[in-house]
């Protein structure tokens, strides 16, 4: 007979299905399948931990967002924010659906070209574009969004030297009532800097001014802030029309719509508090439609939504390595993934479900990752059934930013599997191994 493990007895209050003031305690229903593919099956086939992405969910999210905006405004274009998740398979799903690419570095720009996006459908944002990036983007007719005067002057010089006439817009920062203000990117609206930059561009023979852009923040909870942003961009577009007799082709309101994750410290879950895309769309389109542009000169509305389109399409599956009691008697569960793979556990109280049926008794516990580092905490406090070594868990809504901001530290980064529309699974990024990790290292002669 197998020996039963001994644990020093503790007297601790157990909660089973207690009521609280919001109703019954949230149930810990096991999640055994994702899009009807077995969680256990995927873990045994591909190993643990494992990222899983649902192609169906990405397409549902995208089509839903497009429908919401297109039923309110005649000209709408989405551009996929590469930094939110630049796995090529993911980007290609968005491009197949009709999304352009929104990139913020030469690296991301190359990835977009590699994914078959036409140059004129790539939006190049961000403060870091070097001369060769700018030349390539100009030659490809991409939309270059200027971040600062140094970039503007470089682009004017390069355009003259190379006989180019790039299509450009400026990024505008502004006070939308959200603090801290994001004023480090682009040209300020209130102090006239944005208008000065537009004037400089409109007066240049080597630049074609085509739009205005802003990205006012991320995980924004206020549709009103977007109404303010839309009004300010309309005012700039109107000014360009009045002063230079030229209607801008587009107004780009950036990304920033929240996903339904729960921010750390929030009183209620994100699913109950986050405004819907409809509310953001109403706020934005009411302003543009009401601004006074003639119908045939309405600018195209560009959106660069990232997290709201992908977060709930991503899952992280993992395994319990051990459980222990901390010195204060709290239960601790150690998982085989931590901050290294799940960067967003710094921001969110991620929902975590057991992947198998466990007992009805629950206990408040802390969930640690596997790193030998004190800050490696996945959840500071979560009430869960009594997970044991070998039990498996599913973390929800991890599709945004984790697969780009993950860090290689102490362990390898896990593989990523895509569940396609027919529920077939495909590896879209292999797990790392020693060979991959050491590929770029070199040993100097005297240490060989
Ligand atoms: C990051 C970023 C986005 C996407 O932001 P989300 O908050 O994920 O929607 C869009 N535009 C720009 C310029 C960005 O930097």
């Amino acid at each position: 007979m197998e020996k039963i493990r001994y644990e020093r007895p503790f007297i601790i209050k157990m909660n089973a299905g207690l009521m609280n003031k919001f109703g019954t305690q949230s149930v810990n229903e096991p999640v055994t399948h994702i899009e009807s593919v077995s969680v256990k099956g995927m873990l045994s086939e591909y190993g643990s931990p494992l990222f899983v992405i649902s192609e169906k969910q990405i397409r549902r999210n995208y089509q839903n967002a497009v429908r919401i905006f297109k039923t309110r405004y005649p000209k709408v274009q989405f551009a996929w924010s590469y930094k939110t998740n630049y796995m090529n398979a993911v980007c290609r799903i968005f491009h197949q659906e009709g999304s352009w690419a929104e990139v913020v570095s030469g690296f991301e720009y190359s990835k977009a070209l590699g994914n078959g996006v036409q140059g004129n459908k790539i939006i190049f944002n961000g403060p870091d574009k070097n001369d060769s990036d700018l030349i390539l983007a100009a030659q490809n007719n991409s939309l270059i969004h200027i971040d600062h005067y140094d970039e503007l002057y470089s682009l004017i010089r390069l355009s003259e030297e190379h006989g180019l006439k790039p299509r450009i817009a400026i990024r505008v920062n502004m006070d939308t009532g959200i603090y801290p203000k994001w004023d480090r990117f682009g040209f300020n609206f209130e102090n006239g800097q944005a208008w000065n930059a537009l004037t400089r561009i409109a007066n240049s023979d080597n630049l074609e001014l085509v739009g205005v852009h802003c990205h006012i923040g991320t995980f924004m909870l206020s549709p009103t802030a977007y109404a303010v942003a839309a009004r300010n961009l309309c005012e700039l577009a109107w000014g360009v029309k009045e002063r230079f007799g030229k209607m801008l082709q587009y107004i780009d309101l950036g990304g920033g719509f929240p996903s339904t994750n729960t921010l750390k410290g929030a009183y209620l879950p994100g699913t109950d508090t986050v405004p819907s895309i409809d509310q953001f769309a109403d706020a934005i389109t009411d302003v543009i439609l009401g601004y006074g542009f003639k119908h045939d000169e309405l600018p195209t509305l560009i959106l660069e939504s990232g997290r709201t389109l992908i977060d709930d399409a991503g899952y992280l599956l993992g395994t319990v390595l051990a459980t222990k009691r901390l010195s204060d008697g709290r239960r601790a569960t150690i998982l085989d993934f931590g901050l290294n793979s799940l960067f967003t556990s710094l921001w969110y109280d991620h929902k975590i479900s057991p992947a198998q049926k466990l007992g009805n008794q629950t206990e408040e516990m802390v969930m640690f990752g596997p790193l030998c580092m004190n800050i490696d905490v996945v959840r500071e406090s979560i009430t869960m059934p009594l997970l044991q070594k070998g039990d498996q868990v599913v973390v929800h809504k991890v599709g945004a930013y984790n697969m780009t901001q993950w860090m290689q530290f102490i362990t390898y980064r896990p593989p990523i599997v895509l569940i396609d529309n027919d529920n077939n699974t495909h590896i879209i990024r292999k797990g790392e191994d020693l060979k991959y990790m050491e590929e770029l290292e070199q040993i100097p002669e005297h240490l060989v």
Side-chain angles (χ1 to χ4, degrees), residues 124-127 129 134 143-156 166-172 185-187 197 201 207 209 213:
F124 201 164
N125 281 318
K129 315 178 189 82
L134 288 171
L143 299 163
I144 303 174
H145 288 183
I146 306 288
D147 187 78
H148 44 70
Y149 277 113
D150 283 320
E151 184 172 83
L152 180 57
Y153 295 137
S154 297
L155 193 56
I156 291 174
R167 300 156 73 211
I168 72 173
I170 60 163
R171 176 155 176 181
V172 180
F185 301 109
F187 301 89
I201 295 163
L207 303 174
L209 177 61
H213 169 237

Side-chain angles (χ1 to χ4, degrees), residues 107-125:
F107 156 67
E108 290 187 359
Y109 189 90
S110 306
K111 259 179 126 38
L113 287 179
N115 284 326
V117 185
Q118 285 167 29
N120 63 358
K121 295 180 175 173
I122 303 178
I123 296 173
F124 201 164
N125 281 318

Side-chain angles (χ1 to χ4, degrees), residues 81 83-84 102 125 171 213 215 218 255-256 304-307 401:
S81 158
K83 76 173 188 294
T84 309
E102 185 274 328
N125 281 318
R171 176 155 176 181
H213 169 237
H215 172 64
T218 192
E304 305 170 344
S305 293
R307 66 175 76 240
Y401 295 101

